[in-house]
Amino acid sequence: MQLEQILKNRRQEKEILLMTHIVLGYPSFEVNRQVIRQMVENGVDCIEMQIPFSEPMADGPVILKANQESIAAGTTIADCLEFGAEMADTYDIPFLFMTYYNIIFKYGEEKFLQQTQDAGLKGLIIPDLPPEMGEDFFRLAEEYRIAPILIFAPTSTDERMAELNHWAKGFIYCVARRGVTGRKSEFGDDFGTYLARCRKATDLPLAVGFGIQDRADVQALKGKTDMAVIGSRTIRLVEEEGPEAVGGFIAGLR
Amino acid sequence: MQLEQILKNRRQEKEILLMTHIVLGYPSFEVNRQVIRQMVENGVDCIEMQIPFSEPMADGPVILKANQESIAAGTTIADCLEFGAEMADTYDIPFLFMTYYNIIFKYGEEKFLQQTQDAGLKGLIIPDLPPEMGEDFFRLAEEYRIAPILIFAPTSTDERMAELNHWAKGFIYCVARRGVTGRKSEFGDDFGTYLARCRKATDLPLAVGFGIQDRADVQALKGKTDMAVIGSRTIRLVEEEGPEAVGGFIAGLR
Amino acid sequence: MKRKGFFGNWGGAFIPEVLHQTFQELEQEYRKAKDDPAFWQEYSALMSNYSCRPTPLTYAGNLSKHFGGAQIYIKREDLNHTGAHKANNVMGQGLLVKRMGKKRVIAETGAGQHGMATATMAAKFGFACTIYMGEVDVRRQRPNVFWMEKMGATVVPVKDGSRTLKDAINEAFRDWVTNLDDTHYVFGTACGPAPFPEMVSWFQSIIGQEASRQIVELHGKLPARIYACVGGGSNAMGIFQGFMHDAVELVGVEAGGHGIASGLHAARLCGTDSSPGVAQGYKTMFLQNSDGQMLETHSVAAGLDYVGVSPILSDLADKKRVRFESATDKEVIAALDLTMRLEGIIPALESSHAFVQAFKEAPGLSPNDAIIINMSGRGDKDIFTIAHAFDDPSWKEFIIARAEEYKK
Amino acid sequence: MKRKGFFGNWGGAFIPEVLHQTFQELEQEYRKAKDDPAFWQEYSALMSNYSCRPTPLTYAGNLSKHFGGAQIYIKREDLNHTGAHKANNVMGQGLLVKRMGKKRVIAETGAGQHGMATATMAAKFGFACTIYMGEVDVRRQRPNVFWMEKMGATVVPVKDGSRTLKDAINEAFRDWVTNLDDTHYVFGTACGPAPFPEMVSWFQSIIGQEASRQIVELHGKLPARIYACVGGGSNAMGIFQGFMHDAVELVGVEAGGHGIASGLHAARLCGTDSSPGVAQGYKTMFLQNSDGQMLETHSVAAGLDYVGVSPILSDLADKKRVRFESATDKEVIAALDLTMRLEGIIPALESSHAFVQAFKEAPGLSPNDAIIINMSGRGDKDIFTIAHAFDDPSWKEFIIARAEEYKK
Ligand SMILES: Cc1ncc(COP(=O)(O)O)c(C=O)c1O
Ligand SMILES: Cc1ncc(COP(=O)(O)O)c(C=O)c1O
C-alpha cells in the first residue's frame, strides 16, 4: 500500500495522527532503536528518519547539533539505509527518510531511490528540493513508489500550493510558521486561515509541523489537520531525560 | 675690548686656541662652576655657555640630553644670564652664550642683548639664525657690542661665505663636517680644501668645531685654524668621570 | 534548453519552500532594475559619490621591470570605500532593498569585508543590520567586527560546523526564513540560490566595464591575461565580464592553503577533492566527501576559505573559458611582501592569491603584452594575520603590552 | 615689503648653516616645478592613477537631516591610497626628489599617516627611506609602523623630549644635516622652514581645486562654510585654497584635548597658551612657556598633537580670513560615533575634529546652505585608540587572547 492510503486508513481510526522525527546515528543507532520502539509501542503513526547532512540549512539549533554530532561519530549514508531497512522490517508503520538533497544527489538519485524502496520505506522529505529543481527526480520517485512529501508554508500563495500539490504524494507537510525547526509556534487566527488554504489546495492528508511541543498543541490541531509532527521536542527529551522518557511523552500527547 | 681683538691677541701667544662648551644648569650650576674653573685654570681661551632649549635641532644626543635635563631641573633664562655674569666677572677670558633663536626671541631681543652686555659677555652663537632671518637682530647686536658668531659649513659656497662674513663678528665657527654635534670628524684632504676656502673668505679668526675629541685632533688642527672647539666631549667626561677630570683633559690637549 | 537560474549544469535555487515567494519577489525586482537604465545610472552615481569609482588601473612599473615580461596593471578595488570590491555588490543590493521597501538586512561574512560593506550600507540607508560570521573568522578578523558593531550592526559569531563562511551562510538563511517579510539577505558573493550568482556578478561587472576601457587607454590594446582570486567568485566575475567576449585569457586563482595534496586548501575548480553537489541553495563543485558531507577547508585568507564556488565559474571551467590555478599560503605571503616593497601597495591576503599566479606567468609573456591583476581589497584588515605570518617580534611585544594594560 | 618665505609676520627659514645650500636647491627645484605646467599634469596623473583622485565629495544626507540645518558634504580624502590626504603632499615631493636625483627620503610622522605615505612613495619610486616617529606615537599607531617596515622603511622611535611629533621633526633634521647630499626630507605638513609651508600647501591645493568644482556641480553654488582639522595645517590649507577668494567662511579646528582650560590640548590659534616663537625652522604661534621652552601637548589624535602650526594659517588668523575653533577628545569620540552610525563612514580621529565643529554649527544654518567637512583620513588606523576610547570589552578580550598566544 502506498503512503497516502496508509495514512488515510489510519486516520479513519484516530482523531489525529502523530508523526515523529529522529536524527539517525544521534546520539547512536542503538538509542535510535530504543526511541523508535517506544514511539511505535505508544501509537505513533509515521516516523521520519533524518539522514544527517553537514549543512542542514532549514533546521534549528537542536537538530543542527544532532546532525553534526552524528556525522562526527561516523554515521554514513549506508548505515542509515541499512538501519531504515531494519526499522521498516521490524515495525508495521510507514517510515520516511528526511534529508537534504545533496545526500541523495551525491549518492546517486536512482541508486538511493532503489535502496529506499528495497528497504521498505514509503516516502522522502527533502526540504531544499522544490519540484522545479527536481523534475527528473520526482518522476523517478514515482517510478520507485517513494512518495515525495512536499511542503506548504504560510508564505505559499494559492497558486504555489496548487503547483506543489501537483507534484506531491503521500501527504502535505504544512510548516506552521516562518523559521527553522525547534521554536514554539502559535496556532492563532492567521494559522487557521492558512490551514484552511492548505486544506482547499489538496486532497492529500495534511501534516502540521514545526514547534509542536506538548499535548495542548496536539489538542489544538485536532479537527484542523490529519497529522501532527513532533520534531526537535523528542530529541531534547532524549538528551535531557534519556530514551526511556519517550514512551510516556508520546502516550500523553493524544 | 671686543671679541675679535681678544682672540687675535691671545693667538699671538699660542699656536692654537681652545674654546670649550658647557650646557648651563647641566648637571647643575654648581658643577658648571667647577668645570669652568678647571677649564680656565688649564688655559682655555674662550667658553661658550649653552642656554638650554627644548628643541636643540642642531645638537646630537649628548648635548640634546643635557638640554632636556637642565630644563627638567628647572633652569631658567634668568638663571643663565645671572650665571653668565658671575663667570664673566670671575674669569678674565671671553664668554659667549650659545642658544637657539627662540630663547632670545621670546625673552625679547633687545632686553636679552642688553643683559648679555651688562653681564660682560662677548658674543652669541645662534645656530638657527642665519643673517637673512635676523637683519634687525644683527644690527642690534652690533649696537650692544655683542659679537654674532656665524657659522661656515662644508656645504657653504664661496659666495655664501662672503655673505656670512659680511655679518659676522668675533670669529667664524667652521663646522668640520655635515651632521650634528658629538660625532667624531675626519680631518682629511677634503677638510683641508674646505678650511682653505674658509680662510680665504674672512679675516676673522677661524674656530673649528664638531667632533673634536682629543690631543691628536687638536694637534692636527694646528697651523690650519686659530681655535679648536671642544663640545660634547667634556660633557661626556663629566658624566663619566666627574668634573675633576676636566682639568687634566684640557691640559693634555695642546 | 536553458533552465532558469542555471549556467550549464550549475546553479539553480534549492531553497526551502518558505522562501519561494521571497525569491520570486527578489527575482522580479532584480529584473525590473536590470531593465531600467536609470537604475544602473543611480547605482554608478552612488558608487562614484560614496565610494570612489571608477577605481584606478595602476601601472605597476617596478613589478613589471622585476619580472621582465608582461606589463603588469593592477585594478584597484582596494580604493573602494570599506576597502574592497564587496562594496559594489552591497551598494547595489542596498538600492534594491530600498525599492522593495524592506527595513532590515542580514549578511554572512568570512573575511569581514562583506560584513563591513553591509554594515556600512545599512548605516547609509538606515536599515537594521545583523551579520553572521564564523567564530574562527571573528577571531581572524577582529578589527572588522569592531567596526561593524560601531556602524550599528549586530555581529553574531556562528559556532556550528567548521565555524567559517559556509556556516555563517547557513545561519543567515535560518534568520532569513524566520524574518523574510521585512528582511533582505545581502548575499556576499556570486554563489547561493538564483538570482544571487547572476545579480552579484551584475553589480560587480562595474569592475570589468571600467578595466576594459582603462587598459585600452593606458596600454593601447586589450590585455593578454587577467588574474583574479576566487573565493565565492564575485571579484573574478566582476572583472572577467569586461573581457568575456575578447581574446583575453581569464585566470581564476583559488586558495591552495598548505598545498593541494595536503587536503588543507579551498581549491574547488583546480584541485581533485571536489565534486558536483548541491548545498547552500545551489549546485556547484563542492569540497565534500563521498557521502556528500562538506569538508573543512583551509586558507590563510578568510575570504577564500569556502567549500563552494560560483556556479557561473563552474560553468566557465567546463567550457574552458576560465583557467583555474591555486596559490599556497606561503606563496601568498611572499607575493604580498614583494608587492609592498616594490609598489607600496598592500593587497588583501585574498587578492594576493591573484598576484602569485600573475608573478609566475609574467616572465613568460612579452613586454608588449599587458596583464591585469584584480586587487580585490586592501590588506590593512589583515594586520593580525599578516603580522602573525611574518612573525613580527615588535608586533607581538606591542600586543602583549596592550594586553597587560587591559588586564589591570 | 614681503620677505621671502614669510606670510605676514610668520614663516621664514631658521635653519642651520649646513642646510643653506640644500634649501636653495629645493627652493629652485620647487619654483621650476611650479612654473612648469607639465609638472602639475604629471602630478595629477600620478594621483589619479596611483591614488584615486579626484576623491569624491559625498553628500551626507542622514547627517544633514539629523541636524536639520545646512546640507553637509564630506570631502573624502580617506579614499586616497594609504588612507589620508598625506599622500598628496608625499607623491608631489616624490616627483621633486626624482628631479633632484636624490636617492633617499626621510620623514617625521605623528599619526603614522605621513610615515605610511612616505614609505609607500619610497617603495614606488625606489628610494631608501627612514621614518622618525615619537615613541609615544609608535605606541599609539603600531599598525602603521608595521606597514611602514613591510614597505621597506626603517622606523626610528624617537625617545627625546615629549616623544611625539615635534621631537620626530628635530630628529629628522638631525638626520638631514648629516646626509643632505643624497637625502631629501619629506616634510609632512605645511610647517617647517620655507619653502615647505608653501610647497606642501601647493600639493595639497588639489583638494580645494576639486572640491570647489564638485560642490558647485552637486549643490549648485559655493558652500557657506568649510571645516578642516588643523595639526600642522596641510589638509586645511589644501581645501581652503580652493575657496580663498570666495565669500566662503573657512573654519580650522584644533585639538581641544581635555579642554582649553586644562592645559592638555594643542590649540595654538584659538587658545590662550600659545605665543609667537621660532622653532623647528620657522616662526609661528607655538605652545611654549614664558621662557620659550615648548610645552607638552595633548590630543587623542596623534596627528594634531603638535606645538606649532602652519605660518600661513597664523597669518590667515591675523587677517581673520580663517576662524579657529577647538574640539575636545570627548566631543571627537561622540562625533565619530554619530558619523559611523548615520553615514557608514569612519573618519580618522584627526578628521573627526572638523566634524565636531561642523555639527555644532550646521543646525544654525539654512537648508539652502552647504557646508563641507574635509575628511582628511580614515579611522581604520586608529583602531587601537578608538577601541580603547569606546572601552570595548570584546576588543580587550581579543587582545588579551592574542597576547596569550604570543607568550607561549
Ligand atoms: C578582499 C577580498 N577579496 C576576495 C574575496 C573573495 O570573494 P569573491 O571570490 O566573491 O570575490 C573576499 C571575500 O571576503 C575579500 O574580502
Ligand atoms: C588623517 C590626518 N588628518 C590630519 C592630520 C593633521 O595634519 P595637517 O594639519 O597637516 O593636515 C594628520 C596628521 O598626521 C592626519 O593623519
Side-chain angles (χ1 to χ4, degrees):
Chain A
M1 215 180 337
Q2 297 224 9
L3 181 59
E4 177 182 352
Q5 199 51 52
I6 301 176
L7 296 178
K8 284 190 166 164
N9 291 354
R10 286 187 164 251
R11 180 68 171 81
Q12 297 302 314
E13 291 149 32
K14 300 183 184 174
E15 238 184 318
I16 191 160
L17 304 179
L18 283 184
M19 176 164 94
T20 52
H21 167 276
I22 62 155
V23 173
L24 290 171
Y26 178 77
S28 67
F29 283 108
E30 195 36 50
V31 171
N32 288 160
R33 267 189 202 91
Q34 294 175 41
V35 169
I36 288 174
R37 180 165 42 75
Q38 292 185 63
M39 285 171 170
V40 178
E41 286 175 356
N42 286 282
V44 158
D45 301 284
C46 182
I47 295 181
E48 56 168 327
M49 298 181 293
Q50 180 162 358
I51 303 177
F53 179 45
S54 56
E55 320 299 313
M57 166 210 253
D59 283 297
V62 172
I63 297 183
L64 166 61
K65 177 169 153 277
N67 273 260
Q68 287 171 350
E69 299 205 353
S70 175
I71 295 168
T75 301
T76 66
I77 313 306
D79 295 340
C80 294
L81 285 163
E82 197 179 313
F83 182 86
E86 179 192 331
M87 291 303 110
D89 203 44
T90 311
Y91 301 111
D92 187 26
I93 63 162
F95 284 89
L96 320 173
F97 278 137
M98 181 275 189
T99 195
Y100 288 83
Y101 179 54
N102 196 51
I103 295 298
I104 297 166
F105 174 77
K106 181 73 184 164
Y107 197 80
E109 295 182 344
E110 188 147 12
K111 184 172 147 207
F112 187 90
L113 285 167
Q114 174 72 64
Q115 295 189 15
T116 301
Q117 188 192 44
D118 293 349
L121 272 79
K122 299 295 181 191
L124 269 175
I125 305 177
I126 316 172
D128 64 345
L129 188 70
E132 62 275 16
M133 289 294 118
E135 301 196 2
D136 294 347
F137 178 78
F138 278 71
R139 265 189 289 272
L140 265 183
E142 179 142 33
E143 230 172 80
Y144 286 93
R145 292 159 191 261
I146 301 297
I149 314 298
L150 287 185
I151 294 169
F152 285 0
T155 52
S156 307
T157 60
D158 293 348
E159 296 71 41
R160 178 66 179 168
M161 287 184 180
E163 191 187 340
L164 292 169
N165 182 51
H166 167 73
W167 293 97
K169 294 258 159 359
F171 63 91
I172 293 285
Y173 191 132
C174 307
V175 303
R177 53 162 169 75
R178 292 154 173 76
V180 290
T181 53
R183 262 186 322 107
K184 173 123 187 66
S185 298
E186 300 298 332
F187 304 116
D189 286 354
D190 284 357
F191 178 71
T193 321
Y194 159 55
L195 221 55
R197 286 207 298 121
C198 296
R199 186 66 291 165
K200 248 182 77 187
T202 183
D203 291 331
L204 292 170
L206 290 185
V208 170
F210 273 42
I212 296 179
Q213 307 277 334
D214 52 24
R215 180 180 174 83
D217 288 343
V218 175
Q219 296 306 322
L221 289 173
K222 277 189 187 165
K224 292 189 184 134
T225 184
D226 301 301
M227 184 155 74
V229 185
I230 316 290
S232 352
R233 184 69 191 88
T234 45
I235 298 188
R236 274 218 314 282
L237 194 67
V238 175
E239 283 172 358
E240 287 162 11
E241 302 178 28
E244 319 75 47
V246 174
F249 170 71
I250 298 289
L253 284 175
R254 261 185 303 212
Chain B
M1 217 186 326
Q2 297 224 10
L3 181 58
E4 178 182 348
Q5 201 49 53
I6 300 175
L7 295 178
K8 286 190 165 162
N9 292 352
R10 286 187 165 253
R11 180 68 172 80
Q12 297 301 315
E13 291 149 34
K14 301 182 185 175
E15 238 184 316
I16 191 162
L17 305 180
L18 283 182
M19 177 165 92
T20 52
H21 167 276
I22 61 155
V23 174
L24 291 171
Y26 177 77
S28 67
F29 283 107
E30 195 36 47
V31 171
N32 289 158
R33 266 189 203 94
Q34 295 174 39
V35 169
I36 289 175
R37 181 164 42 75
Q38 292 185 60
M39 286 172 170
V40 178
E41 286 173 357
N42 286 281
V44 158
D45 302 282
C46 182
I47 296 181
E48 55 168 329
M49 299 179 292
Q50 181 164 0
I51 304 176
F53 178 45
S54 56
E55 321 299 314
M57 164 210 260
D59 283 298
V62 172
I63 296 183
L64 167 60
K65 176 168 153 279
N67 273 260
Q68 287 170 351
E69 299 205 355
S70 175
I71 294 167
T75 301
T76 65
I77 313 306
D79 294 340
C80 295
L81 285 163
E82 198 180 314
F83 182 87
E86 180 192 328
M87 290 305 109
D89 203 44
T90 310
Y91 300 110
D92 188 27
I93 62 163
F95 285 89
L96 319 173
F97 278 137
M98 181 276 191
T99 194
Y100 288 83
Y101 180 54
N102 196 51
I103 294 298
I104 298 166
F105 175 76
K106 181 73 182 164
Y107 197 80
E109 296 181 343
E110 188 146 10
K111 186 171 144 206
F112 187 91
L113 287 166
Q114 175 72 66
Q115 295 189 12
T116 302
Q117 188 190 45
D118 292 350
L121 273 77
K122 299 296 180 191
L124 267 178
I125 305 178
I126 316 172
D128 65 344
L129 188 68
E132 62 276 16
M133 289 293 121
E135 302 196 3
D136 294 348
F137 177 77
F138 278 72
R139 267 190 287 273
L140 265 182
E142 177 142 32
E143 229 173 81
Y144 285 94
R145 292 158 188 260
I146 301 297
I149 314 298
L150 286 186
I151 294 170
F152 285 179
T155 52
S156 306
T157 60
D158 293 347
E159 298 70 44
R160 178 66 178 167
M161 287 183 182
E163 192 187 339
L164 292 168
N165 182 50
H166 167 74
W167 294 97
K169 292 260 159 1
F171 63 92
I172 293 285
Y173 192 131
C174 307
V175 302
R177 52 162 170 76
R178 293 155 173 72
V180 291
T181 54
R183 263 186 320 110
K184 172 124 186 72
S185 298
E186 301 299 330
F187 304 117
D189 286 355
D190 284 357
F191 178 71
T193 323
Y194 159 56
L195 220 57
R197 288 206 296 122
C198 295
R199 184 68 290 166
K200 247 182 79 184
T202 183
D203 293 331
L204 291 171
L206 290 184
V208 171
F210 273 42
I212 295 179
Q213 308 276 333
D214 52 24
R215 181 180 172 84
D217 288 343
V218 176
Q219 295 305 323
L221 289 173
K222 276 188 187 164
K224 291 187 185 138
T225 184
D226 301 302
M227 183 155 72
V229 185
I230 316 289
S232 347
R233 184 69 191 89
T234 46
I235 297 189
R236 275 216 315 280
L237 193 69
V238 174
E239 283 172 358
E240 287 162 12
E241 305 178 27
E244 317 75 46
V246 173
F249 170 72
I250 297 289
L253 283 176
R254 261 186 302 213
Chain C
M1 192 200 75
K2 184 169 160 15
R3 278 193 295 165
K4 197 170 137 253
F6 276 80
F7 306 88
N9 259 321
W10 314 100
F14 296 81
I15 49 173
E17 185 54 32
V18 67
L19 284 176
H20 181 83
Q21 196 54 26
T22 303
F23 271 83
Q24 296 281 94
E25 285 159 21
L26 178 60
E27 173 84 32
Q28 240 172 34
E29 203 63 46
Y30 164 56
R31 294 288 154 212
K32 253 171 49 192
K34 208 171 162 185
D35 292 343
D36 175 3
F39 181 85
W40 188 265
Q41 248 165 40
E42 184 183 359
Y43 168 63
S44 76
L46 175 65
M47 290 315 291
S48 81
N49 185 258
Y50 186 61
S51 193
C52 75
R53 306 215 69 93
T55 57
L57 182 69
T58 300
Y59 173 58
N62 300 332
L63 285 170
S64 303
K65 203 181 308 159
H66 181 80
F67 289 108
Q71 305 306 318
I72 301 175
Y73 290 84
I74 302 175
K75 179 63 174 164
R76 301 292 301 281
E77 292 303 301
D78 61 305
L79 291 173
N80 268 303
H81 183 47
T82 72
H85 72 295
K86 297 284 176 187
N88 304 328
N89 167 41
V90 161
M91 291 298 152
Q93 292 198 42
L95 290 174
L96 278 188
V97 175
K98 224 174 64 179
R99 286 184 162 217
M100 293 188 288
K102 296 192 166 183
K103 296 274 173 264
R104 177 174 177 262
V105 290
I106 58 175
E108 87 291 351
T109 194
Q113 284 302 122
H114 177 57
M116 266 293 275
T118 304
T120 298
M121 177 274 275
K124 167 103 182 149
F125 284 102
F127 303 142
C129 178
T130 301
I131 304 293
Y132 293 94
M133 188 167 185
E135 203 185 28
V136 170
D137 294 331
V138 167
R139 242 183 285 131
R140 286 198 274 198
Q141 306 282 343
R142 185 79 227 176
N144 276 343
V145 174
F146 175 78
W147 296 121
M148 286 183 250
E149 290 178 346
K150 282 294 129 211
M151 231 97 69
T154 304
V155 179
V156 180
V158 176
K159 299 180 179 167
D160 306 309
S162 58
R163 292 167 297 138
T164 59
L165 185 54
K166 74 172 177 59
D167 311 285
I169 292 177
N170 291 333
E171 209 52 35
F173 271 115
R174 291 187 188 105
D175 180 318
W176 205 14
V177 298
T178 312
N179 302 296
L180 34 85
D181 299 314
D182 68 334
T183 297
H184 174 71
Y185 177 6
V186 184
F187 211 88
T189 187
C191 294
F196 280 117
E198 182 188 328
M199 184 171 81
V200 173
S201 298
W202 183 54
F203 288 128
Q204 294 293 4
S205 70
I206 197 166
I207 304 174
Q209 281 183 16
E210 292 172 6
S212 61
R213 185 170 45 68
Q214 290 167 322
I215 190 68
V216 174
E217 269 169 36
L218 292 169
H219 182 67
K221 61 173 185 176
L222 287 172
R225 294 183 196 160
I226 295 181
Y227 299 86
C229 68
V230 179
S234 68
N235 86 84
M237 282 305 303
I239 192 157
F240 290 170
Q241 282 170 101
F243 304 89
M244 205 58 89
H245 307 292
D246 302 311
V248 174
E249 192 176 10
L250 308 175
V251 185
V253 188
E254 299 187 289
H258 294 322
I260 297 293
S262 72
L264 294 167
H265 60 78
R268 298 128 313 174
L269 294 175
C270 74
T272 50
D273 296 340
S274 66
S275 57
V278 176
Q280 312 216 298
Y282 68 111
K283 185 173 182 181
T284 196
M285 293 293 281
F286 281 102
L287 288 162
Q288 54 181 334
N289 69 16
S290 58
D291 256 8
Q293 310 295 2
M294 297 299 142
L295 296 172
E296 296 241 342
T297 51
H298 167 80
S299 170
V300 68
L304 303 187
D305 199 356
Y306 178 51
V307 289
V309 66
S310 177
I312 311 182
L313 288 176
S314 287
D315 183 44
L316 292 169
D318 283 352
K319 295 183 170 134
K320 306 220 185 307
R321 180 66 191 93
V322 178
R323 170 160 59 91
F324 289 89
E325 306 284 352
S326 69
T328 64
D329 291 356
K330 265 216 185 107
E331 291 171 329
V332 159
I333 296 293
L336 174 60
D337 196 37
L338 190 72
T339 306
M340 289 192 287
R341 271 173 213 282
L342 289 192
E343 298 289 348
I345 283 175
I346 311 175
L349 285 167
E350 289 78 12
S351 322
S352 298
H353 285 70
F355 284 73
V356 168
Q357 193 60 30
F359 293 172
K360 286 183 190 165
E361 301 184 12
L365 290 167
S366 141
N368 293 323
D369 287 331
I371 60 178
I372 300 179
I373 303 171
N374 197 27
M375 178 165 161
S376 53
R378 56 175 150 93
D380 307 29
K381 69 172 177 66
D382 293 320
I383 184 153
F384 283 93
T385 314
I386 296 178
H388 194 80
F390 280 106
D391 207 22
D392 187 75
S394 40
W395 172 258
K396 289 181 178 179
E397 268 168 42
F398 165 69
I399 294 293
I400 291 172
R402 257 312 144 98
E404 291 308 315
E405 267 177 56
Y406 287 154
K407 278 196 206 154
K408 276 170 205 157
Chain D
M1 193 199 72
K2 185 170 159 13
R3 277 194 295 164
K4 196 169 137 259
F6 276 80
F7 307 88
N9 259 319
W10 314 100
F14 296 82
I15 50 173
E17 186 54 32
V18 70
L19 284 175
H20 182 82
Q21 196 55 23
T22 302
F23 271 83
Q24 295 281 94
E25 286 159 22
L26 178 62
E27 172 85 30
Q28 240 171 33
E29 203 63 48
Y30 163 57
R31 293 289 154 212
K32 253 172 46 194
K34 207 170 163 187
D35 291 344
D36 176 3
F39 181 87
W40 188 265
Q41 249 165 36
E42 185 184 358
Y43 167 64
S44 76
L46 175 65
M47 291 314 292
S48 81
N49 184 259
Y50 186 62
S51 191
C52 75
R53 305 216 69 93
T55 58
L57 183 68
T58 301
Y59 174 56
N62 299 332
L63 284 170
S64 303
K65 203 182 307 160
H66 180 82
F67 288 108
Q71 306 305 318
I72 301 176
Y73 289 84
I74 302 175
K75 180 63 174 164
R76 300 292 300 282
E77 292 303 302
D78 61 306
L79 291 173
N80 268 303
H81 182 49
T82 70
H85 72 294
K86 297 284 176 189
N88 303 328
N89 167 40
V90 161
M91 291 299 151
Q93 292 198 42
L95 290 174
L96 277 188
V97 174
K98 224 173 62 178
R99 286 185 161 216
M100 291 188 289
K102 295 193 168 183
K103 297 275 173 264
R104 176 173 177 263
V105 290
I106 58 175
E108 88 292 349
T109 193
Q113 284 303 122
H114 176 57
M116 266 293 275
T118 304
T120 298
M121 177 274 276
K124 166 104 182 146
F125 284 101
F127 303 142
C129 178
T130 302
I131 304 293
Y132 294 93
M133 190 168 185
E135 202 184 29
V136 170
D137 294 331
V138 167
R139 243 184 284 132
R140 284 197 276 197
Q141 306 281 343
R142 185 79 226 177
N144 277 343
V145 174
F146 175 78
W147 296 121
M148 286 183 251
E149 290 178 345
K150 282 293 128 212
M151 230 99 67
T154 304
V155 180
V156 180
V158 177
K159 299 179 179 167
D160 307 308
S162 58
R163 294 167 294 138
T164 59
L165 185 55
K166 74 172 176 60
D167 310 285
I169 292 177
N170 291 333
E171 208 53 35
F173 271 115
R174 290 187 189 107
D175 180 318
W176 206 15
V177 298
T178 311
N179 303 296
L180 35 86
D181 298 313
D182 67 335
T183 298
H184 174 71
Y185 178 6
V186 184
F187 211 89
T189 186
C191 293
F196 281 117
E198 184 188 327
M199 185 172 79
V200 173
S201 298
W202 183 54
F203 288 127
Q204 294 292 4
S205 71
I206 198 167
I207 305 173
Q209 281 183 15
E210 291 171 8
S212 63
R213 184 171 43 68
Q214 289 167 322
I215 190 70
V216 173
E217 268 168 39
L218 292 168
H219 182 68
K221 61 172 186 179
L222 287 172
R225 293 183 196 159
I226 295 180
Y227 299 86
C229 69
V230 179
S234 68
N235 86 84
M237 281 307 302
I239 193 158
F240 290 170
Q241 281 169 101
F243 305 88
M244 205 59 90
H245 308 292
D246 303 310
V248 174
E249 192 176 9
L250 307 175
V251 185
V253 188
E254 299 187 287
H258 294 323
I260 298 294
S262 71
L264 295 166
H265 60 78
R268 298 129 312 174
L269 295 174
C270 73
T272 50
D273 296 340
S274 66
S275 57
V278 176
Q280 311 215 295
Y282 69 111
K283 185 172 181 181
T284 196
M285 293 293 279
F286 282 100
L287 288 161
Q288 55 182 333
N289 69 17
S290 58
D291 255 8
Q293 312 294 2
M294 296 299 142
L295 297 172
E296 298 240 342
T297 52
H298 167 81
S299 171
V300 70
L304 302 187
D305 200 357
Y306 179 52
V307 289
V309 67
S310 176
I312 312 182
L313 288 176
S314 288
D315 183 45
L316 292 168
D318 282 353
K319 294 181 171 139
K320 305 217 182 314
R321 179 66 192 91
V322 178
R323 168 161 61 91
F324 289 87
E325 306 285 351
S326 69
T328 64
D329 291 355
K330 265 215 185 108
E331 290 170 330
V332 159
I333 296 292
L336 173 60
D337 197 37
L338 190 71
T339 306
M340 289 193 284
R341 269 171 215 281
L342 290 191
E343 298 289 348
I345 284 174
I346 310 175
L349 285 166
E350 289 79 10
S351 321
S352 298
H353 284 72
F355 284 72
V356 168
Q357 193 61 29
F359 293 172
K360 285 183 191 165
E361 300 184 12
L365 290 167
S366 141
N368 293 323
D369 286 332
I371 60 179
I372 299 179
I373 303 171
N374 197 29
M375 179 164 161
S376 52
R378 55 175 152 90
D380 307 31
K381 70 171 176 68
D382 293 320
I383 184 152
F384 284 92
T385 313
I386 295 177
H388 193 83
F390 279 106
D391 207 22
D392 186 74
S394 39
W395 173 258
K396 290 182 180 177
E397 268 168 43
F398 165 70
I399 294 294
I400 291 171
R402 259 310 145 102
E404 291 308 315
E405 269 178 55
Y406 286 153
K407 277 194 206 155
K408 277 172 206 156

